[in-house]
Amino acid sequence: MLNNVPRRVFVAAAVLSAVVILVFFSSFTLDFSARPLSYAVYDNEGRLLGAKVAADEQWRFESSTVPEKFESAIIAFEDKRFRYHFGIDPLSLARAVTMNLKQSRVVSGGSTITMQTVRLLENHPKRTFFQKAKEAVLAVSLEMRFSKKKILELYVANAPFGGNVVGLEAASWRYFNRSPDHLTWAESATLAVLPNQPSLVYPGANKEILLAKRNALLRKLHERGFFDGRVLQLSLEEELPEKPYALPSSAPHYLEFLIASSKGSEKGKAKKQKSKFATTIDSGIQANTARILERWSANFRKKGISNAAALVVDTKTLDILAYCGNTGGYDANPDSYDVNLVRAKRSSGSILKPFLYAAMLDSGQLLPEQLVIDVPTRIGSYSPGNNIPEYQGVIQASEALSRSLNIPAIRELREYGVNAFLAHLKKCGFTTFTRSADDYGLPLILGGGETMLEEVVFAYARMMNKAQSPLADFPSSSGSSYLTLEALANGTRPLEEANWQRYAHSKKIAWKTGTSSGNRDTWAVGTTPEYTVGVWIGNADGHGNSELRSFMTSAPVLFDLFSALSRTTWPAKPEFDLKEVEVCAHSGFLSGTNCPSVKTSLAPKKAPAVSVCPYCRIVSLTPDLKFQATADDLEGGVLPVTQKRFVLPPGIELWYKKINFGYEPLPAFTENHKKSAVNDLSIVFPEQGANLIIPVEIDGKDGAMVMQAACRDPSRTVYWDLDGEFLGMTRHYHDMAVTPRAGKHTLTLSDSNGTVVSRTFTIVADDDE
């Protein structure tokens, strides 16, 4: 064969080789970062989840390993001696030189894959003899710098595949809707012939030419022993692709977040563009989460609720398994679909209550069965409403949490302190509560601050991890974390959430819902040792909707998502961080000497003993137990009997006995009861019948008056009631701030010994003076 090649061809080849040697270390260089890349996000097994077109509107991905089938096909078609030459194939080059000399122009390149890689990296310069020589030099240089594997990766990543499709990965998804690793022999051969003539041969046009080239390549591969005759026959029968597919878009908001985070981290640094993002997302969980969320969201949109978001994480590792930042797409939500609601700041509703509960367990200010107050309440000028129409009087702290009662939460936050709680939230991983404690005030616990779904989910996951290990990164103890999660998993739910409570029992899940003021946001989060799932439902523009209630929106979505996850477990009780404490059987407080019966309860091991039962006391009764009486009240030498009794203050008892029929209030005193001359409890301010003005503060806010009382016995608890609304209780120092409206008011105080005193006063408006 070589005898037919003219002598001048060999001379030309020799000259060119000499040129290569002379300029081998020339100044020719390749810019590997000149061409913009598409951003792409991949799942935990390396599968493409989504991509964004490059800055030059091309689909061009970062180079990656070339699958074996495509490698065999592209080498057989483009450069059969690729694995053996040093960047230049003398035989191919000789043929090309002969043809070019005959035509007096470059009509054939004789290019190897390495030389074509150089040409692609130089952005297809004009074909000239000088350019060909330059490509040869750079090809040899490339061979010296990189392995054959890397050179092939560069070529495959930059080869044109028709239209704006560049590189094998983009072509594989565009034409076959699958990754290059899963291409058949026929599909690999189809793509292998495209870079040779991308402007002429591409799927959907010139089908006959493409089919002929593909089949010829398949036969060549068969002849070289890559597969048997049966595979050849099946491959020849495969259809060619038709209309290109859209590239995957399974996690668009996560991709945008990763892009933004990457740019932020590289700001001010001369770094190569990061375009490929390997993630922990599980494509199966991602697909199920998106499907379930979109189905529910489509129904919600009929009610005027446009947007939804969900996040699923691996509880133990905090790896993100599914990330759905919004729903509806640009067709349904053209003005709001771009909003990433996983990271949007939204009113927290009641979703923070468990973190306060756990913190107070650790501080000794709460026990799970301790009674907390749930009556109409006014704190200064703030009069929060409850989230259910009935007040309980008092209710166990764990049940108040599971039922998400507002009044107990407000009172607990006042006792714990807003400043202390803000510091605790920061340690839990929340970054959005940046205002002062005075700005937030007590409404913080009911949604007065904004948080992100992402941070909520991670915080609940960390709490679950801490319940299992003292080493987990979470500020509450293992004991308090476990007790909090038990309350969320097993507690009594509000009536409207009863259905979801029954559903939750199929998988033990610690779950919490929340609805923000004005029905603008609904939340639901659930956690197990395996998964933590968070859901937000609402409108991205913030407008409210009466249908936006968590038990109708976020809760059912949460449990639907859990139903699509694999089996879950529940953590063992962390005996290492729990202790048994003796508590009053009636109040759940640490037992005191006056408690008629006691039982054991669990508390975090290091929680201090703060307060004993304030509701049990010794009462003196007539022998028939029908009346209260002292020795002075009885005649004929009859002595009263004493009993240890659980007694609620009048303002609390009024509500409690409406729903607790077994409660026994104290009987009245006998008719001849002689009141003690010693005034054990008295109201210092306001005076009886006083007319008072409460001035407006300098900043325009309503002012407050501070009421004062005195109690001879410093150990007693004093309960404050204004016009039938329970204000709170005090110990040792008896002051209470309040901002009553204009008009007549009645202040009633009672203490833990049953003493009751009252006083009336009038608030006069400024314009009445």
Side-chain angles (χ1 to χ4, degrees):
M1 178 179 68
L2 295 179
N3 293 333
N4 297 326
V5 179
R7 187 167 179 272
R8 58 181 178 177
V9 171
F10 290 102
V11 174
V15 171
L16 183 58
S17 298
V19 172
V20 169
I21 295 171
L22 290 173
V23 300
F24 181 79
F25 292 106
S26 68
S27 61
F28 294 154
T29 59
L30 288 172
D31 186 354
F32 291 90
S33 61
R35 309 182 81 183
L37 299 173
S38 296
Y39 292 104
V41 60
Y42 298 82
D43 74 0
N44 57 359
E45 294 185 356
R47 291 185 290 259
L48 182 67
L49 286 170
K52 184 177 181 181
V53 71
D56 60 357
E57 300 300 318
Q58 303 291 305
W59 289 110
R60 184 189 299 107
F61 294 96
E62 186 177 326
S63 61
S64 59
T65 302
V66 181
E68 289 184 10
K69 288 180 182 176
F70 186 81
E71 178 179 342
S72 300
I74 195 68
I75 291 175
F77 186 77
E78 289 286 355
D79 187 0
K80 63 183 179 182
R81 286 181 286 274
F82 171 71
R83 292 188 176 90
Y84 311 110
H85 61 61
F86 54 91
I88 302 170
D89 185 346
L91 295 179
S92 296
L93 194 59
R95 293 192 190 94
V97 169
T98 300
M99 294 176 63
N100 295 337
L101 290 174
K102 287 181 178 180
Q103 299 292 328
S104 298
R105 61 189 178 90
V106 177
V107 294
S108 175
S111 297
T112 62
I113 285 178
T114 313
M115 293 173 69
Q116 290 182 59
T117 302
V118 170
R119 183 171 178 78
L120 292 171
L121 293 174
E122 290 208 308
N123 201 23
H124 301 281
K126 185 177 179 181
R127 291 173 180 264
T128 64
F129 287 108
F130 176 78
Q131 178 61 33
K132 183 58 63 176
K134 179 182 177 182
E135 288 173 8
V137 171
L138 290 174
V140 175
S141 175
L142 206 60
E143 292 276 351
M144 296 295 291
R145 293 174 59 189
F146 299 110
S147 66
K148 290 288 187 180
K149 178 181 177 182
K150 179 62 178 177
I151 292 169
L152 188 62
E153 288 176 3
L154 287 171
Y155 171 72
V156 170
N158 290 278
F161 283 86
N164 68 338
V165 180
V166 177
L168 173 62
E169 183 158 13
S172 182
W173 284 102
R174 286 287 279 163
Y175 300 140
F176 297 105
N177 198 31
R178 63 174 65 93
S179 70
D181 292 328
H182 294 87
L183 293 175
T184 66
W185 277 110
E187 291 164 347
S188 296
T190 301
L191 295 182
V193 303
L194 287 182
N196 186 257
Q197 290 180 289
S199 62
L200 175 63
V201 184
Y202 59 91
N206 303 299
K207 193 171 183 178
E208 296 78 9
I209 302 175
L210 177 60
L211 184 63
K213 283 179 172 287
R214 183 201 73 172
N215 290 348
L217 178 54
L218 285 171
R219 291 187 178 93
K220 182 184 293 186
L221 291 167
H222 170 253
E223 291 169 1
R224 295 182 181 179
F226 287 100
F227 46 78
D228 58 26
R230 182 173 176 275
V231 173
L232 173 63
Q233 188 59 42
L234 292 173
S235 298
L236 292 173
E237 292 174 3
E238 283 191 32
E239 295 288 334
L240 291 175
E242 298 294 339
K243 183 180 179 181
Y245 295 91
L247 263 71
S249 183
S250 298
H253 297 90
Y254 193 34
L255 175 57
E256 290 294 340
F257 165 67
L258 293 172
I259 293 171
S261 299
S262 173
K263 289 180 178 178
S265 65
E266 295 176 5
K267 190 175 182 181
K269 301 177 182 178
K271 284 189 175 182
K272 179 184 176 183
Q273 169 199 355
K274 183 173 182 179
S275 63
K276 187 174 183 178
F277 300 99
T279 72
T280 57
I281 285 183
D282 183 303
S283 57
I285 295 177
Q286 176 72 23
N288 282 334
T289 301
R291 173 181 54 81
I292 292 169
L293 195 64
E294 288 289 354
R295 175 167 53 81
W296 279 98
S297 190
N299 291 328
F300 296 149
R301 277 196 295 276
K302 298 173 185 176
K303 302 177 182 180
I305 303 169
S306 300
N307 307 99
L311 184 67
V312 181
V313 304
D314 181 309
T315 301
K316 184 177 181 180
T317 63
L318 301 182
D319 288 342
I320 294 174
L321 302 178
Y323 192 111
C324 298
N326 209 328
T327 54
Y330 291 107
D331 291 335
N333 291 322
D335 297 326
S336 61
Y337 183 64
D338 280 334
V339 180
N340 182 358
L341 291 162
V342 169
R343 291 187 54 79
K345 296 179 182 179
R346 310 294 301 200
S347 171
S348 61
S350 300
I351 212 71
L352 301 178
K353 288 176 181 176
F355 303 103
L356 175 61
Y357 179 85
M360 294 189 73
L361 290 178
D362 277 329
S363 68
Q365 294 167 286
L366 271 185
L367 289 168
E369 297 175 81
Q370 177 179 319
L371 294 180
V372 293
I373 295 169
D374 181 40
V375 298
T377 297
R378 183 186 302 161
I379 301 171
S381 60
Y382 180 45
S383 184
N386 224 354
N387 51 326
I388 60 174
E390 271 190 349
Y391 292 93
Q392 312 297 306
V394 286
I395 187 172
Q396 287 187 356
S398 59
E399 187 175 347
L401 173 64
S402 64
R403 299 183 69 170
S404 197
L405 298 181
N406 289 343
I407 299 301
I410 285 287
R411 293 183 169 280
E412 289 162 10
L413 180 57
R414 182 176 64 170
E415 183 175 356
Y416 189 76
V418 179
N419 260 322
F421 187 50
L422 285 171
H424 182 74
L425 289 176
K426 185 175 181 180
K427 293 177 183 177
C428 290
F430 293 97
T431 64
T432 57
F433 301 108
T434 56
R435 303 190 338 249
S436 69
D438 288 339
D439 280 344
Y440 286 116
L442 298 178
L444 171 64
I445 199 64
L446 304 184
E450 293 181 327
T451 187
M452 298 186 291
L453 180 62
E454 178 183 73
E455 293 188 348
V456 169
V457 169
F458 284 139
Y460 274 82
R462 290 187 182 103
M463 181 183 285
M464 176 59 77
N465 288 332
K466 192 58 174 281
Q468 302 171 83
S469 169
L471 301 178
D473 181 20
F474 191 71
S476 296
S477 69
S478 295
S480 66
S481 295
Y482 178 82
L483 293 173
T484 301
L485 295 171
E486 277 286 309
L488 294 176
N490 298 322
T492 302
R493 295 284 168 175
L495 181 61
E496 63 270 13
E497 290 188 353
N499 289 334
W500 304 117
Q501 182 181 22
R502 287 194 292 270
Y503 182 92
H505 288 166
S506 63
K507 287 184 177 180
K508 190 170 182 180
I509 303 166
W511 59 287
K512 182 74 181 73
T513 61
T515 303
S516 68
S517 176
N519 299 91
R520 292 180 174 86
D521 311 89
T522 65
W523 304 79
V525 61
T527 184
T528 70
E530 291 76 26
Y531 304 105
T532 302
V533 180
V535 177
W536 177 92
I537 310 288
N539 292 302
D541 62 7
H543 75 266
N545 186 314
S546 60
E547 298 284 341
L548 265 172
R549 288 172 284 175
S550 57
F551 74 93
M552 294 172 58
T553 56
S554 52
V557 175
L558 175 74
F559 291 113
D560 211 355
L561 292 174
F562 262 107
S563 70
L565 296 171
S566 58
R567 186 178 179 181
T568 59
T569 61
W570 192 250
K573 185 187 301 180
E575 303 284 359
F576 61 86
D577 198 40
L578 289 171
K579 63 183 177 182
E580 286 191 345
V581 293
E582 188 177 82
V583 300
C584 173
H586 296 281
S587 72
F589 278 84
L590 292 174
S591 61
T593 57
N594 295 333
C595 294
S597 58
V598 298
K599 63 180 181 179
T600 59
S601 183
L602 291 175
K605 182 165 284 186
K606 294 183 180 180
V610 175
S611 58
V612 298
C613 176
Y615 297 125
C616 292
R617 59 188 176 91
I618 296 176
V619 297
S620 180
L621 304 169
T622 58
D624 60 6
L625 307 181
K626 291 183 178 179
F627 299 95
Q628 293 186 70
T630 65
D632 293 337
D633 299 335
L634 302 179
E635 299 176 350
V638 177
L639 295 175
V641 296
T642 59
Q643 281 188 348
K644 294 179 178 180
R645 293 282 294 270
F646 169 64
V647 183
L648 293 172
I652 297 175
E653 183 182 81
L654 175 69
W655 296 96
Y656 186 74
K657 65 185 181 181
K658 288 181 180 180
I659 57 174
N660 291 273
F661 301 111
Y663 174 73
E664 292 184 44
L666 286 180
F669 277 95
T670 60
E671 291 184 0
N672 57 341
H673 173 60
K674 300 173 183 179
K675 293 185 178 180
S676 173
V678 179
N679 192 359
D680 287 341
L681 177 64
S682 62
I683 298 173
V684 177
F685 179 82
E687 297 177 351
Q688 174 62 33
N691 293 308
L692 304 171
I693 296 175
I694 301 179
V696 176
E697 300 291 346
I698 193 169
D699 60 1
K701 296 181 180 178
D702 291 337
M705 62 178 288
V706 178
M707 301 182 294
Q708 297 175 310
C711 185
R712 186 176 297 277
D713 183 354
S715 67
R716 293 185 192 175
T717 300
V718 175
Y719 304 91
W720 299 70
D721 182 288
L722 184 65
D723 303 328
E725 288 190 12
F726 183 73
L727 299 178
M729 55 186 180
T730 55
R731 299 184 184 94
H732 305 298
Y733 301 100
H734 304 291
D735 295 342
M736 182 67 64
V738 66
T739 306
R741 60 186 177 279
K744 191 173 183 179
H745 300 276
T746 300
L747 172 65
T748 302
L749 303 185
S750 58
D751 67 15
S752 50
N753 270 10
T755 307
V756 180
V757 294
S758 296
R759 181 160 295 177
T760 60
F761 62 95
T762 301
I763 298 297
V764 181
D766 281 332
D767 54 9
D768 290 346
E769 287 297 294

